[in-house]
Amino acid sequence: MGIMALVFIFVLAAFLGKELISKVPSQLHTPLMSATNAISGITVLGALVVLSTSATGSLSMILSFIAVVLATINVVGGYMVTDRMLGMFKKKGDKK
């Protein structure tokens, strides 16, 4: 597959993602965040597999390391936001 085809797919996915996310009602943001966390968790596992099988110093090793770091940041941040949003539904007197 040529580089132009890959760029086209990336740009198309970016526009489609923006349109889909902008149409989500605010009541569904927490479940959507949880689903996104699960997808990022799959990205972390896939990148770890590539990282473990790639040759030392290769481009795939560098890219998979970057994927692990960015997906991990996304997972941790997503769970923090989800926890904060769910905390908004707790009663004032509840500690847990």
Side-chain angles (χ1 to χ4, degrees):
M1 195 182 284
I3 189 75
M4 289 304 292
L6 293 174
V7 170
F8 175 74
I9 291 171
F10 177 76
V11 170
L12 185 64
F15 282 123
L16 180 64
K18 182 201 174 295
E19 285 299 314
L20 288 174
I21 296 300
S22 66
K23 305 288 189 246
V24 174
S26 60
Q27 296 88 354
L28 296 178
H29 278 215
T30 301
L32 182 64
M33 182 69 74
S34 298
T36 305
N37 287 338
I39 292 170
S40 290
I42 294 169
T43 303
V44 169
L45 290 177
L48 285 172
V49 168
V50 171
L51 189 60
S52 69
T53 60
S54 63
T56 306
S58 67
L59 181 61
S60 64
M61 186 174 183
I62 295 167
L63 291 177
S64 59
F65 176 75
I66 292 170
V68 168
V69 170
L70 293 178
T72 302
I73 290 170
N74 190 25
V75 168
V76 171
Y79 281 118
M80 289 173 62
V81 169
T82 301
D83 184 54
R84 185 170 179 177
M85 289 177 73
L86 291 174
M88 293 169 52
F89 294 104
K90 293 180 183 174
K91 293 180 184 176
K92 298 275 186 195
D94 287 348
K95 296 284 182 183
K96 275 192 162 186

